[in-house]
PDB file of all heavy atoms in Angstrom:
ATOM      1  N   LYS A  23       7.299  18.927 -18.758  1.00  0.00           N
ATOM      2  CA  LYS A  23       7.312  17.583 -18.214  1.00  0.00           C
ATOM      3  C   LYS A  23       8.663  17.329 -17.596  1.00  0.00           C
ATOM      4  O   LYS A  23       9.682  17.686 -18.177  1.00  0.00           O
ATOM      5  CB  LYS A  23       7.063  16.546 -19.303  1.00  0.00           C
ATOM      6  CG  LYS A  23       5.674  16.662 -19.925  1.00  0.00           C
ATOM      7  CD  LYS A  23       5.479  15.618 -20.995  1.00  0.00           C
ATOM      8  CE  LYS A  23       4.099  15.727 -21.644  1.00  0.00           C
ATOM      9  NZ  LYS A  23       3.902  14.729 -22.711  1.00  0.00           N
ATOM     10  N   TYR A  48       9.068  37.679 -17.829  1.00  0.00           N
ATOM     11  CA  TYR A  48       8.268  38.265 -18.909  1.00  0.00           C
ATOM     12  C   TYR A  48       7.461  39.447 -18.397  1.00  0.00           C
ATOM     13  O   TYR A  48       7.376  40.502 -19.049  1.00  0.00           O
ATOM     14  CB  TYR A  48       7.346  37.195 -19.492  1.00  0.00           C
ATOM     15  CG  TYR A  48       6.356  37.751 -20.506  1.00  0.00           C
ATOM     16  CD1 TYR A  48       6.762  38.016 -21.804  1.00  0.00           C
ATOM     17  CD2 TYR A  48       5.029  38.005 -20.145  1.00  0.00           C
ATOM     18  CE1 TYR A  48       5.869  38.532 -22.712  1.00  0.00           C
ATOM     19  CE2 TYR A  48       4.145  38.525 -21.052  1.00  0.00           C
ATOM     20  CZ  TYR A  48       4.560  38.791 -22.346  1.00  0.00           C
ATOM     21  OH  TYR A  48       3.662  39.304 -23.249  1.00  0.00           O
ATOM     22  N   MET A  51       9.744  42.457 -17.975  1.00  0.00           N
ATOM     23  CA  MET A  51      10.103  43.051 -19.270  1.00  0.00           C
ATOM     24  C   MET A  51       8.947  43.837 -19.851  1.00  0.00           C
ATOM     25  O   MET A  51       9.122  44.917 -20.449  1.00  0.00           O
ATOM     26  CB  MET A  51      10.529  41.955 -20.256  1.00  0.00           C
ATOM     27  CG  MET A  51      11.887  41.353 -19.937  1.00  0.00           C
ATOM     28  SD  MET A  51      13.220  42.521 -20.197  1.00  0.00           S
ATOM     29  CE  MET A  51      14.617  41.481 -19.819  1.00  0.00           C
ATOM     30  N   SER A  72      12.718  35.235 -27.716  1.00  0.00           N
ATOM     31  CA  SER A  72      13.980  35.221 -26.981  1.00  0.00           C
ATOM     32  C   SER A  72      14.084  36.437 -26.078  1.00  0.00           C
ATOM     33  O   SER A  72      13.471  37.479 -26.316  1.00  0.00           O
ATOM     34  CB  SER A  72      15.152  35.192 -27.969  1.00  0.00           C
ATOM     35  OG  SER A  72      15.165  36.388 -28.730  1.00  0.00           O
ATOM     36  N   ALA A  80      12.294  46.464 -25.703  1.00  0.00           N
ATOM     37  CA  ALA A  80      12.157  47.374 -24.570  1.00  0.00           C
ATOM     38  C   ALA A  80      12.947  48.658 -24.785  1.00  0.00           C
ATOM     39  O   ALA A  80      12.556  49.729 -24.317  1.00  0.00           O
ATOM     40  CB  ALA A  80      12.615  46.673 -23.289  1.00  0.00           C
ATOM     41  N   GLY A  82      13.523  49.965 -27.771  1.00  0.00           N
ATOM     42  CA  GLY A  82      13.088  50.600 -29.008  1.00  0.00           C
ATOM     43  C   GLY A  82      13.923  50.227 -30.207  1.00  0.00           C
ATOM     44  O   GLY A  82      13.923  50.938 -31.213  1.00  0.00           O
ATOM     45  N   LYS A  85      12.605  47.254 -34.122  1.00  0.00           N
ATOM     46  CA  LYS A  85      12.114  47.478 -35.474  1.00  0.00           C
ATOM     47  C   LYS A  85      13.296  47.564 -36.446  1.00  0.00           C
ATOM     48  O   LYS A  85      14.297  48.206 -36.165  1.00  0.00           O
ATOM     49  CB  LYS A  85      11.307  48.771 -35.542  1.00  0.00           C
ATOM     50  CG  LYS A  85      10.028  48.735 -34.718  1.00  0.00           C
ATOM     51  CD  LYS A  85       9.267  50.023 -34.879  1.00  0.00           C
ATOM     52  CE  LYS A  85       7.981  50.015 -34.079  1.00  0.00           C
ATOM     53  NZ  LYS A  85       7.238  51.282 -34.238  1.00  0.00           N
ATOM     54  N   LYS A 114      18.365  84.064 -52.652  1.00  0.00           N
ATOM     55  CA  LYS A 114      19.352  85.128 -52.560  1.00  0.00           C
ATOM     56  C   LYS A 114      18.721  86.448 -52.988  1.00  0.00           C
ATOM     57  O   LYS A 114      18.181  86.554 -54.089  1.00  0.00           O
ATOM     58  CB  LYS A 114      20.551  84.811 -53.447  1.00  0.00           C
ATOM     59  CG  LYS A 114      21.644  85.849 -53.405  1.00  0.00           C
ATOM     60  CD  LYS A 114      22.792  85.453 -54.315  1.00  0.00           C
ATOM     61  CE  LYS A 114      23.865  86.522 -54.332  1.00  0.00           C
ATOM     62  NZ  LYS A 114      24.989  86.145 -55.235  1.00  0.00           N
ATOM     63  N   LYS A 120      23.087 101.344 -55.281  1.00  0.00           N
ATOM     64  CA  LYS A 120      22.552 102.689 -55.405  1.00  0.00           C
ATOM     65  C   LYS A 120      23.617 103.767 -55.180  1.00  0.00           C
ATOM     66  O   LYS A 120      23.301 104.964 -55.243  1.00  0.00           O
ATOM     67  CB  LYS A 120      21.408 102.885 -54.395  1.00  0.00           C
ATOM     68  CG  LYS A 120      20.228 101.935 -54.609  1.00  0.00           C
ATOM     69  CD  LYS A 120      19.145 102.174 -53.576  1.00  0.00           C
ATOM     70  CE  LYS A 120      17.974 101.214 -53.772  1.00  0.00           C
ATOM     71  NZ  LYS A 120      16.907 101.434 -52.749  1.00  0.00           N
ATOM     72  N   ASN A 180      50.440  87.962 -68.248  1.00  0.00           N
ATOM     73  CA  ASN A 180      50.186  88.099 -69.682  1.00  0.00           C
ATOM     74  C   ASN A 180      48.805  88.686 -69.931  1.00  0.00           C
ATOM     75  O   ASN A 180      47.799  88.221 -69.379  1.00  0.00           O
ATOM     76  CB  ASN A 180      50.302  86.745 -70.390  1.00  0.00           C
ATOM     77  CG  ASN A 180      51.719  86.229 -70.406  1.00  0.00           C
ATOM     78  OD1 ASN A 180      52.664  86.977 -70.160  1.00  0.00           O
ATOM     79  ND2 ASN A 180      51.885  84.943 -70.682  1.00  0.00           N
ATOM     80  N   LEU A 185      43.749  85.858 -64.385  1.00  0.00           N
ATOM     81  CA  LEU A 185      44.398  85.458 -63.139  1.00  0.00           C
ATOM     82  C   LEU A 185      43.835  84.139 -62.637  1.00  0.00           C
ATOM     83  O   LEU A 185      42.637  83.873 -62.763  1.00  0.00           O
ATOM     84  CB  LEU A 185      44.207  86.544 -62.082  1.00  0.00           C
ATOM     85  CG  LEU A 185      44.744  87.941 -62.409  1.00  0.00           C
ATOM     86  CD1 LEU A 185      44.576  88.862 -61.214  1.00  0.00           C
ATOM     87  CD2 LEU A 185      46.201  87.878 -62.820  1.00  0.00           C
ATOM     88  N   LEU A 211      54.583 102.200 -52.362  1.00  0.00           N
ATOM     89  CA  LEU A 211      54.040 102.256 -53.725  1.00  0.00           C
ATOM     90  C   LEU A 211      53.970 100.843 -54.284  1.00  0.00           C
ATOM     91  O   LEU A 211      54.965 100.109 -54.284  1.00  0.00           O
ATOM     92  CB  LEU A 211      54.923 103.132 -54.622  1.00  0.00           C
ATOM     93  CG  LEU A 211      54.469 103.262 -56.081  1.00  0.00           C
ATOM     94  CD1 LEU A 211      53.096 103.916 -56.160  1.00  0.00           C
ATOM     95  CD2 LEU A 211      55.492 104.054 -56.892  1.00  0.00           C
ATOM     96  N   ALA A 219      53.102  89.974 -73.705  1.00  0.00           N
ATOM     97  CA  ALA A 219      53.183  88.549 -74.074  1.00  0.00           C
ATOM     98  C   ALA A 219      53.352  88.410 -75.578  1.00  0.00           C
ATOM     99  O   ALA A 219      52.490  87.860 -76.260  1.00  0.00           O
ATOM    100  CB  ALA A 219      51.937  87.811 -73.581  1.00  0.00           C
ATOM    101  N   GLU A 234      38.486  88.381 -89.420  1.00  0.00           N
ATOM    102  CA  GLU A 234      37.665  89.551 -89.724  1.00  0.00           C
ATOM    103  C   GLU A 234      38.007  90.189 -91.068  1.00  0.00           C
ATOM    104  O   GLU A 234      37.109  90.631 -91.794  1.00  0.00           O
ATOM    105  CB  GLU A 234      37.821  90.591 -88.607  1.00  0.00           C
ATOM    106  CG  GLU A 234      37.305  90.130 -87.257  1.00  0.00           C
ATOM    107  CD  GLU A 234      37.508  91.168 -86.180  1.00  0.00           C
ATOM    108  OE1 GLU A 234      38.131  92.229 -86.479  1.00  0.00           O
ATOM    109  OE2 GLU A 234      37.048  90.942 -85.038  1.00  0.00           O
ATOM    110  N   ARG A 239      49.798  89.838 -90.533  1.00  0.00           N
ATOM    111  CA  ARG A 239      50.549  91.011 -90.108  1.00  0.00           C
ATOM    112  C   ARG A 239      51.450  91.564 -91.215  1.00  0.00           C
ATOM    113  O   ARG A 239      51.745  92.757 -91.252  1.00  0.00           O
ATOM    114  CB  ARG A 239      51.371  90.684 -88.866  1.00  0.00           C
ATOM    115  CG  ARG A 239      52.562  89.792 -89.090  1.00  0.00           C
ATOM    116  CD  ARG A 239      53.307  89.579 -87.778  1.00  0.00           C
ATOM    117  NE  ARG A 239      54.591  88.910 -87.946  1.00  0.00           N
ATOM    118  CZ  ARG A 239      54.757  87.613 -88.029  1.00  0.00           C
ATOM    119  NH1 ARG A 239      53.679  86.815 -87.949  1.00  0.00           N
ATOM    120  NH2 ARG A 239      55.954  87.083 -88.186  1.00  0.00           N
ATOM    121  N   GLU A 299      77.030  97.141 -74.131  1.00  0.00           N
ATOM    122  CA  GLU A 299      78.268  97.864 -73.866  1.00  0.00           C
ATOM    123  C   GLU A 299      79.131  97.149 -72.832  1.00  0.00           C
ATOM    124  O   GLU A 299      80.365  97.223 -72.880  1.00  0.00           O
ATOM    125  CB  GLU A 299      77.946  99.286 -73.386  1.00  0.00           C
ATOM    126  CG  GLU A 299      77.325 100.160 -74.466  1.00  0.00           C
ATOM    127  CD  GLU A 299      76.817 101.476 -73.915  1.00  0.00           C
ATOM    128  OE1 GLU A 299      76.922 101.662 -72.666  1.00  0.00           O
ATOM    129  OE2 GLU A 299      76.306 102.300 -74.686  1.00  0.00           O
ATOM    130  N   ARG A 305      75.764  89.329 -80.259  1.00  0.00           N
ATOM    131  CA  ARG A 305      75.213  88.550 -81.361  1.00  0.00           C
ATOM    132  C   ARG A 305      76.176  87.423 -81.717  1.00  0.00           C
ATOM    133  O   ARG A 305      77.385  87.635 -81.829  1.00  0.00           O
ATOM    134  CB  ARG A 305      74.991  89.452 -82.580  1.00  0.00           C
ATOM    135  CG  ARG A 305      74.295  88.742 -83.747  1.00  0.00           C
ATOM    136  CD  ARG A 305      74.288  89.654 -84.973  1.00  0.00           C
ATOM    137  NE  ARG A 305      73.508  90.840 -84.718  1.00  0.00           N
ATOM    138  CZ  ARG A 305      72.189  90.930 -84.934  1.00  0.00           C
ATOM    139  NH1 ARG A 305      71.540  89.871 -85.396  1.00  0.00           N
ATOM    140  NH2 ARG A 305      71.545  92.048 -84.703  1.00  0.00           N
ATOM    141  N   SER A 321      61.533  80.864 -78.024  1.00  0.00           N
ATOM    142  CA  SER A 321      62.331  80.325 -76.922  1.00  0.00           C
ATOM    143  C   SER A 321      61.980  78.864 -76.665  1.00  0.00           C
ATOM    144  O   SER A 321      60.972  78.344 -77.166  1.00  0.00           O
ATOM    145  CB  SER A 321      62.098  81.149 -75.650  1.00  0.00           C
ATOM    146  OG  SER A 321      60.758  81.006 -75.215  1.00  0.00           O
ATOM    147  N   ILE A 323      60.863  77.549 -73.995  1.00  0.00           N
ATOM    148  CA  ILE A 323      59.645  77.374 -73.192  1.00  0.00           C
ATOM    149  C   ILE A 323      58.391  77.400 -74.058  1.00  0.00           C
ATOM    150  O   ILE A 323      57.315  76.948 -73.652  1.00  0.00           O
ATOM    151  CB  ILE A 323      59.584  78.465 -72.100  1.00  0.00           C
ATOM    152  CG1 ILE A 323      58.598  78.046 -71.001  1.00  0.00           C
ATOM    153  CG2 ILE A 323      59.176  79.809 -72.692  1.00  0.00           C
ATOM    154  CD1 ILE A 323      58.588  78.982 -69.818  1.00  0.00           C
ATOM    155  N   ALA A 361      78.489  61.853 -93.164  1.00  0.00           N
ATOM    156  CA  ALA A 361      79.901  61.590 -92.884  1.00  0.00           C
ATOM    157  C   ALA A 361      80.658  62.881 -92.632  1.00  0.00           C
ATOM    158  O   ALA A 361      80.448  63.892 -93.317  1.00  0.00           O
ATOM    159  CB  ALA A 361      80.536  60.832 -94.041  1.00  0.00           C
ATOM    160  N   LYS A 402      92.525  63.755 -83.219  1.00  0.00           N
ATOM    161  CA  LYS A 402      92.375  64.297 -84.566  1.00  0.00           C
ATOM    162  C   LYS A 402      91.093  65.130 -84.671  1.00  0.00           C
ATOM    163  O   LYS A 402      90.234  65.077 -83.803  1.00  0.00           O
ATOM    164  CB  LYS A 402      92.371  63.167 -85.601  1.00  0.00           C
ATOM    165  CG  LYS A 402      93.695  62.437 -85.690  1.00  0.00           C
ATOM    166  CD  LYS A 402      93.684  61.444 -86.836  1.00  0.00           C
ATOM    167  CE  LYS A 402      95.048  60.754 -86.962  1.00  0.00           C
ATOM    168  NZ  LYS A 402      95.087  59.801 -88.104  1.00  0.00           N
TER     169      LYS A 402
END
Side-chain angles (χ1 to χ4, degrees):
K23 296 180 181 179
Y48 173 79
M51 288 292 183
S72 64
K85 295 182 180 180
K114 181 180 177 181
K120 299 180 181 179
N180 292 344
L185 301 185
L211 179 62
E234 296 179 356
R239 72 179 189 276
E299 292 171 358
R305 185 188 296 272
S321 65
I323 198 174
K402 294 187 177 182

